[in-house]
Amino acid sequence: MDIARIAPRIKLSLQSQDGQDGAVFGSGVAQLCRGVEQWGSLNKAAKEMNMAYSKAWRIMKHTEASFGIQLLERNGAHGSVLTSEGALLLHAYDELQEQISLYAEKRLEEILKSKRP
């Protein structure tokens, strides 16, 4: 394989400052939030991820409890929407992930160029 075709893969996760319960806002929670944003439904978001609704519900409740913020506003049979805090956290996560990935790609390229024989 050509070394120039190697790219970094960075997995970002956010946790509460005490971090004692292990809950994080990572790619899975972000994907659920994006699904809620797109389809207006946690159930639909879970199904699109091949995840049981009950598991998605547990993940969201655990993350909300750990972070001390409500991510979703649930409207019963009418679905769910992201709260302003949920949308802010999702967009901050996405922006951080993008910036970190771009930085890592650039740095890897610089390092590989500087270390070539």
Side-chain angles (χ1 to χ4, degrees):
M1 171 178 256
D2 180 8
I3 199 161
R5 294 181 54 208
I6 296 172
R9 181 174 179 210
I10 308 296
K11 289 186 172 188
L12 174 66
S13 62
L14 307 172
Q15 68 178 26
S16 64
Q17 287 187 340
D18 62 24
Q20 293 181 6
D21 64 5
V24 297
F25 188 103
S27 62
V29 178
Q31 191 173 351
L32 283 170
C33 287
R34 274 188 227 101
V36 169
E37 206 171 47
Q38 182 175 357
W39 294 296
S41 166
L42 180 60
N43 190 23
K44 174 73 171 161
K47 285 181 181 175
E48 290 294 320
M49 294 175 64
N50 295 315
M51 179 187 295
Y53 172 71
S54 58
K55 182 176 181 178
W57 175 261
R58 281 193 310 274
I59 289 169
M60 296 305 285
K61 291 304 283 179
H62 184 74
T63 304
E64 288 177 334
S66 298
F67 284 36
I69 60 171
Q70 188 175 346
L71 299 173
L72 301 179
E73 185 176 307
R74 294 153 187 94
N75 297 323
H78 301 290
S80 300
V81 295
L82 290 180
T83 62
S84 59
E85 292 89 358
L88 179 61
L89 187 57
L90 174 62
H91 297 296
Y93 174 88
D94 286 342
E95 188 171 325
L96 272 173
Q97 182 66 58
E98 183 179 338
Q99 289 177 5
I100 289 167
S101 294
L102 290 172
Y103 174 78
E105 289 171 15
K106 179 181 175 191
R107 282 298 297 142
L108 178 61
E109 184 180 320
E110 292 169 355
I111 291 166
L112 291 176
K113 282 182 180 177
S114 72
K115 303 295 182 189
R116 287 203 177 229

